[in-house]
PDB file of all heavy atoms in Angstrom:
ATOM      1  N   ALA A 173       0.852  -1.195   0.000  1.00  0.00           N
ATOM      2  CA  ALA A 173       0.000   0.000   0.000  1.00  0.00           C
ATOM      3  C   ALA A 173       0.883   1.238   0.000  1.00  0.00           C
ATOM      4  O   ALA A 173       1.815   1.348   0.806  1.00  0.00           O
ATOM      5  CB  ALA A 173      -0.911   0.001   1.221  1.00  0.00           C
ATOM      6  N   VAL A 174       0.597   2.179  -0.909  1.00  0.00           N
ATOM      7  CA  VAL A 174       1.435   3.377  -1.011  1.00  0.00           C
ATOM      8  C   VAL A 174       0.638   4.674  -0.937  1.00  0.00           C
ATOM      9  O   VAL A 174       1.230   5.763  -0.937  1.00  0.00           O
ATOM     10  CB  VAL A 174       2.293   3.356  -2.296  1.00  0.00           C
ATOM     11  CG1 VAL A 174       3.308   2.220  -2.251  1.00  0.00           C
ATOM     12  CG2 VAL A 174       1.417   3.253  -3.551  1.00  0.00           C
ATOM     13  N   MET A 175      -0.697   4.589  -0.876  1.00  0.00           N
ATOM     14  CA  MET A 175      -1.527   5.766  -0.611  1.00  0.00           C
ATOM     15  C   MET A 175      -2.729   5.318   0.196  1.00  0.00           C
ATOM     16  O   MET A 175      -3.438   4.389  -0.188  1.00  0.00           O
ATOM     17  CB  MET A 175      -1.974   6.447  -1.900  1.00  0.00           C
ATOM     18  CG  MET A 175      -2.797   7.707  -1.655  1.00  0.00           C
ATOM     19  SD  MET A 175      -3.156   8.625  -3.180  1.00  0.00           S
ATOM     20  CE  MET A 175      -4.111   9.992  -2.518  1.00  0.00           C
ATOM     21  N   VAL A 176      -2.929   5.960   1.342  1.00  0.00           N
ATOM     22  CA  VAL A 176      -4.009   5.566   2.246  1.00  0.00           C
ATOM     23  C   VAL A 176      -4.712   6.815   2.771  1.00  0.00           C
ATOM     24  O   VAL A 176      -4.160   7.920   2.756  1.00  0.00           O
ATOM     25  CB  VAL A 176      -3.476   4.735   3.444  1.00  0.00           C
ATOM     26  CG1 VAL A 176      -2.889   3.405   2.971  1.00  0.00           C
ATOM     27  CG2 VAL A 176      -2.442   5.521   4.239  1.00  0.00           C
ATOM     28  N   ARG A 177      -5.943   6.602   3.252  1.00  0.00           N
ATOM     29  CA  ARG A 177      -6.698   7.713   3.829  1.00  0.00           C
ATOM     30  C   ARG A 177      -7.586   7.189   4.950  1.00  0.00           C
ATOM     31  O   ARG A 177      -8.169   6.111   4.850  1.00  0.00           O
ATOM     32  CB  ARG A 177      -7.553   8.391   2.767  1.00  0.00           C
ATOM     33  CG  ARG A 177      -8.354   9.604   3.301  1.00  0.00           C
ATOM     34  CD  ARG A 177      -8.974  10.403   2.187  1.00  0.00           C
ATOM     35  NE  ARG A 177      -9.926   9.595   1.428  1.00  0.00           N
ATOM     36  CZ  ARG A 177     -10.188   9.763   0.126  1.00  0.00           C
ATOM     37  NH1 ARG A 177      -9.568  10.699  -0.555  1.00  0.00           N
ATOM     38  NH2 ARG A 177     -11.057   9.001  -0.499  1.00  0.00           N
ATOM     39  N   SER A 178      -7.661   7.954   5.995  1.00  0.00           N
ATOM     40  CA  SER A 178      -8.565   7.663   7.101  1.00  0.00           C
ATOM     41  C   SER A 178      -9.152   8.979   7.587  1.00  0.00           C
ATOM     42  O   SER A 178      -8.436   9.821   8.147  1.00  0.00           O
ATOM     43  CB  SER A 178      -7.818   6.963   8.249  1.00  0.00           C
ATOM     44  OG  SER A 178      -8.689   6.707   9.336  1.00  0.00           O
ATOM     45  N   GLY A 179     -10.451   9.174   7.353  1.00  0.00           N
ATOM     46  CA  GLY A 179     -11.086  10.429   7.756  1.00  0.00           C
ATOM     47  C   GLY A 179     -10.419  11.617   7.104  1.00  0.00           C
ATOM     48  O   GLY A 179     -10.336  11.719   5.871  1.00  0.00           O
ATOM     49  N   ARG A 180      -9.886  12.516   7.913  1.00  0.00           N
ATOM     50  CA  ARG A 180      -9.262  13.741   7.415  1.00  0.00           C
ATOM     51  C   ARG A 180      -7.740  13.630   7.315  1.00  0.00           C
ATOM     52  O   ARG A 180      -7.040  14.644   7.254  1.00  0.00           O
ATOM     53  CB  ARG A 180      -9.643  14.917   8.328  1.00  0.00           C
ATOM     54  CG  ARG A 180     -11.100  15.367   8.164  1.00  0.00           C
ATOM     55  CD  ARG A 180     -11.492  16.460   9.137  1.00  0.00           C
ATOM     56  NE  ARG A 180     -11.780  15.936  10.468  1.00  0.00           N
ATOM     57  CZ  ARG A 180     -10.963  15.996  11.500  1.00  0.00           C
ATOM     58  NH1 ARG A 180      -9.780  16.582  11.390  1.00  0.00           N
ATOM     59  NH2 ARG A 180     -11.302  15.484  12.669  1.00  0.00           N
ATOM     60  N   VAL A 181      -7.228  12.397   7.270  1.00  0.00           N
ATOM     61  CA  VAL A 181      -5.776  12.183   7.161  1.00  0.00           C
ATOM     62  C   VAL A 181      -5.478  11.342   5.923  1.00  0.00           C
ATOM     63  O   VAL A 181      -6.001  10.236   5.764  1.00  0.00           O
ATOM     64  CB  VAL A 181      -5.219  11.480   8.412  1.00  0.00           C
ATOM     65  CG1 VAL A 181      -3.702  11.280   8.267  1.00  0.00           C
ATOM     66  CG2 VAL A 181      -5.524  12.288   9.672  1.00  0.00           C
ATOM     67  N   THR A 182      -4.639  11.879   5.042  1.00  0.00           N
ATOM     68  CA  THR A 182      -4.209  11.177   3.830  1.00  0.00           C
ATOM     69  C   THR A 182      -2.694  11.060   3.854  1.00  0.00           C
ATOM     70  O   THR A 182      -2.002  11.964   4.332  1.00  0.00           O
ATOM     71  CB  THR A 182      -4.637  11.947   2.567  1.00  0.00           C
ATOM     72  OG1 THR A 182      -6.063  12.113   2.573  1.00  0.00           O
ATOM     73  CG2 THR A 182      -4.230  11.219   1.297  1.00  0.00           C
ATOM     74  N   ALA A 183      -2.181   9.936   3.342  1.00  0.00           N
ATOM     75  CA  ALA A 183      -0.729   9.754   3.286  1.00  0.00           C
ATOM     76  C   ALA A 183      -0.346   9.072   1.989  1.00  0.00           C
ATOM     77  O   ALA A 183      -0.994   8.112   1.558  1.00  0.00           O
ATOM     78  CB  ALA A 183      -0.247   8.924   4.474  1.00  0.00           C
ATOM     79  N   THR A 184       0.707   9.578   1.353  1.00  0.00           N
ATOM     80  CA  THR A 184       1.245   8.969   0.139  1.00  0.00           C
ATOM     81  C   THR A 184       2.723   8.683   0.360  1.00  0.00           C
ATOM     82  O   THR A 184       3.464   9.533   0.870  1.00  0.00           O
ATOM     83  CB  THR A 184       1.078   9.889  -1.081  1.00  0.00           C
ATOM     84  OG1 THR A 184       1.592  11.184  -0.788  1.00  0.00           O
ATOM     85  CG2 THR A 184      -0.366  10.029  -1.466  1.00  0.00           C
ATOM     86  N   ALA A 185       3.143   7.475  -0.065  1.00  0.00           N
ATOM     87  CA  ALA A 185       4.547   7.100   0.074  1.00  0.00           C
ATOM     88  C   ALA A 185       5.419   7.777  -0.980  1.00  0.00           C
ATOM     89  O   ALA A 185       6.622   7.908  -0.814  1.00  0.00           O
ATOM     90  CB  ALA A 185       4.682   5.580  -0.047  1.00  0.00           C
ATOM     91  N   PHE A 186       4.802   8.226  -2.069  1.00  0.00           N
ATOM     92  CA  PHE A 186       5.530   8.826  -3.173  1.00  0.00           C
ATOM     93  C   PHE A 186       5.455  10.354  -3.108  1.00  0.00           C
ATOM     94  O   PHE A 186       4.889  10.922  -2.177  1.00  0.00           O
ATOM     95  CB  PHE A 186       5.006   8.293  -4.512  1.00  0.00           C
ATOM     96  CG  PHE A 186       3.509   8.381  -4.670  1.00  0.00           C
ATOM     97  CD1 PHE A 186       2.913   9.461  -5.287  1.00  0.00           C
ATOM     98  CD2 PHE A 186       2.692   7.366  -4.194  1.00  0.00           C
ATOM     99  CE1 PHE A 186       1.537   9.547  -5.433  1.00  0.00           C
ATOM    100  CE2 PHE A 186       1.311   7.425  -4.345  1.00  0.00           C
ATOM    101  CZ  PHE A 186       0.744   8.523  -4.955  1.00  0.00           C
ATOM    102  N   HIS A 187       6.035  11.005  -4.128  1.00  0.00           N
ATOM    103  CA  HIS A 187       6.178  12.468  -4.158  1.00  0.00           C
ATOM    104  C   HIS A 187       5.309  13.074  -5.261  1.00  0.00           C
ATOM    105  O   HIS A 187       5.802  13.336  -6.367  1.00  0.00           O
ATOM    106  CB  HIS A 187       7.630  12.859  -4.412  1.00  0.00           C
ATOM    107  CG  HIS A 187       8.557  12.635  -3.276  1.00  0.00           C
ATOM    108  ND1 HIS A 187       8.855  13.599  -2.345  1.00  0.00           N
ATOM    109  CD2 HIS A 187       9.266  11.538  -2.924  1.00  0.00           C
ATOM    110  CE1 HIS A 187       9.716  13.115  -1.465  1.00  0.00           C
ATOM    111  NE2 HIS A 187       9.975  11.864  -1.795  1.00  0.00           N
ATOM    112  N   PRO A 188       4.042  13.371  -5.010  1.00  0.00           N
ATOM    113  CA  PRO A 188       3.212  13.984  -6.059  1.00  0.00           C
ATOM    114  C   PRO A 188       3.627  15.413  -6.398  1.00  0.00           C
ATOM    115  O   PRO A 188       3.265  15.920  -7.467  1.00  0.00           O
ATOM    116  CB  PRO A 188       1.804  13.944  -5.463  1.00  0.00           C
ATOM    117  CG  PRO A 188       2.006  13.855  -3.994  1.00  0.00           C
ATOM    118  CD  PRO A 188       3.269  13.085  -3.793  1.00  0.00           C
ATOM    119  N   GLU A 189       4.388  16.039  -5.511  1.00  0.00           N
ATOM    120  CA  GLU A 189       4.818  17.412  -5.767  1.00  0.00           C
ATOM    121  C   GLU A 189       5.934  17.491  -6.804  1.00  0.00           C
ATOM    122  O   GLU A 189       6.259  18.580  -7.292  1.00  0.00           O
ATOM    123  CB  GLU A 189       5.265  18.084  -4.465  1.00  0.00           C
ATOM    124  CG  GLU A 189       6.613  17.667  -3.912  1.00  0.00           C
ATOM    125  CD  GLU A 189       6.600  16.332  -3.178  1.00  0.00           C
ATOM    126  OE1 GLU A 189       5.564  15.633  -3.187  1.00  0.00           O
ATOM    127  OE2 GLU A 189       7.643  15.988  -2.598  1.00  0.00           O
ATOM    128  N   LEU A 190       6.550  16.347  -7.152  1.00  0.00           N
ATOM    129  CA  LEU A 190       7.667  16.339  -8.096  1.00  0.00           C
ATOM    130  C   LEU A 190       7.238  16.008  -9.523  1.00  0.00           C
ATOM    131  O   LEU A 190       8.067  15.654 -10.357  1.00  0.00           O
ATOM    132  CB  LEU A 190       8.737  15.349  -7.627  1.00  0.00           C
ATOM    133  CG  LEU A 190       9.357  15.656  -6.260  1.00  0.00           C
ATOM    134  CD1 LEU A 190      10.467  14.655  -5.931  1.00  0.00           C
ATOM    135  CD2 LEU A 190       9.897  17.085  -6.197  1.00  0.00           C
ATOM    136  N   THR A 191       5.949  16.137  -9.787  1.00  0.00           N
ATOM    137  CA  THR A 191       5.409  15.954 -11.133  1.00  0.00           C
ATOM    138  C   THR A 191       4.488  17.132 -11.432  1.00  0.00           C
ATOM    139  O   THR A 191       3.916  17.716 -10.506  1.00  0.00           O
ATOM    140  CB  THR A 191       4.633  14.627 -11.237  1.00  0.00           C
ATOM    141  OG1 THR A 191       3.906  14.590 -12.462  1.00  0.00           O
ATOM    142  CG2 THR A 191       3.645  14.476 -10.098  1.00  0.00           C
ATOM    143  N   PRO A 192       4.345  17.511 -12.705  1.00  0.00           N
ATOM    144  CA  PRO A 192       3.429  18.614 -13.033  1.00  0.00           C
ATOM    145  C   PRO A 192       1.956  18.251 -12.882  1.00  0.00           C
ATOM    146  O   PRO A 192       1.099  19.126 -12.961  1.00  0.00           O
ATOM    147  CB  PRO A 192       3.770  18.938 -14.488  1.00  0.00           C
ATOM    148  CG  PRO A 192       4.394  17.696 -15.033  1.00  0.00           C
ATOM    149  CD  PRO A 192       5.119  17.065 -13.890  1.00  0.00           C
ATOM    150  N   ASP A 193       1.657  16.992 -12.653  1.00  0.00           N
ATOM    151  CA  ASP A 193       0.273  16.536 -12.484  1.00  0.00           C
ATOM    152  C   ASP A 193      -0.237  17.008 -11.119  1.00  0.00           C
ATOM    153  O   ASP A 193       0.273  16.603 -10.074  1.00  0.00           O
ATOM    154  CB  ASP A 193       0.230  15.010 -12.568  1.00  0.00           C
ATOM    155  CG  ASP A 193      -1.189  14.445 -12.643  1.00  0.00           C
ATOM    156  OD1 ASP A 193      -2.125  15.134 -12.203  1.00  0.00           O
ATOM    157  OD2 ASP A 193      -1.340  13.315 -13.121  1.00  0.00           O
ATOM    158  N   VAL A 194      -1.240  17.860 -11.116  1.00  0.00           N
ATOM    159  CA  VAL A 194      -1.734  18.461  -9.857  1.00  0.00           C
ATOM    160  C   VAL A 194      -3.033  17.819  -9.377  1.00  0.00           C
ATOM    161  O   VAL A 194      -3.692  18.347  -8.478  1.00  0.00           O
ATOM    162  CB  VAL A 194      -1.938  19.991 -10.020  1.00  0.00           C
ATOM    163  CG1 VAL A 194      -0.615  20.681 -10.275  1.00  0.00           C
ATOM    164  CG2 VAL A 194      -2.945  20.295 -11.125  1.00  0.00           C
ATOM    165  N   ARG A 195      -3.388  16.658  -9.911  1.00  0.00           N
ATOM    166  CA  ARG A 195      -4.693  16.076  -9.564  1.00  0.00           C
ATOM    167  C   ARG A 195      -4.801  15.688  -8.094  1.00  0.00           C
ATOM    168  O   ARG A 195      -5.869  15.849  -7.491  1.00  0.00           O
ATOM    169  CB  ARG A 195      -4.979  14.874 -10.456  1.00  0.00           C
ATOM    170  CG  ARG A 195      -5.336  15.254 -11.890  1.00  0.00           C
ATOM    171  CD  ARG A 195      -5.578  14.005 -12.720  1.00  0.00           C
ATOM    172  NE  ARG A 195      -4.361  13.216 -12.874  1.00  0.00           N
ATOM    173  CZ  ARG A 195      -4.335  11.959 -13.292  1.00  0.00           C
ATOM    174  NH1 ARG A 195      -5.477  11.332 -13.582  1.00  0.00           N
ATOM    175  NH2 ARG A 195      -3.190  11.304 -13.432  1.00  0.00           N
ATOM    176  N   LEU A 196      -3.725  15.193  -7.492  1.00  0.00           N
ATOM    177  CA  LEU A 196      -3.804  14.842  -6.073  1.00  0.00           C
ATOM    178  C   LEU A 196      -3.862  16.089  -5.198  1.00  0.00           C
ATOM    179  O   LEU A 196      -4.533  16.102  -4.161  1.00  0.00           O
ATOM    180  CB  LEU A 196      -2.640  13.942  -5.674  1.00  0.00           C
ATOM    181  CG  LEU A 196      -2.641  12.546  -6.286  1.00  0.00           C
ATOM    182  CD1 LEU A 196      -1.506  11.707  -5.701  1.00  0.00           C
ATOM    183  CD2 LEU A 196      -3.972  11.845  -6.081  1.00  0.00           C
TER     184      LEU A 196
END
């Protein structure tokens, strides 16, 4: 598992900020 969410807490193991894709 590399992206999880519980209520108001989300966590990603990867770096979405290092890509131009802003969907997350």
Side-chain angles (χ1 to χ4, degrees):
V174 294
M175 182 173 180
V176 295
R177 182 169 62 210
S178 179
R180 287 176 281 102
V181 180
T182 302
T184 51
F186 51 94
H187 288 267
E189 75 281 7
L190 299 183
T191 169
D193 190 337
V194 295
R195 287 179 294 165
L196 293 186

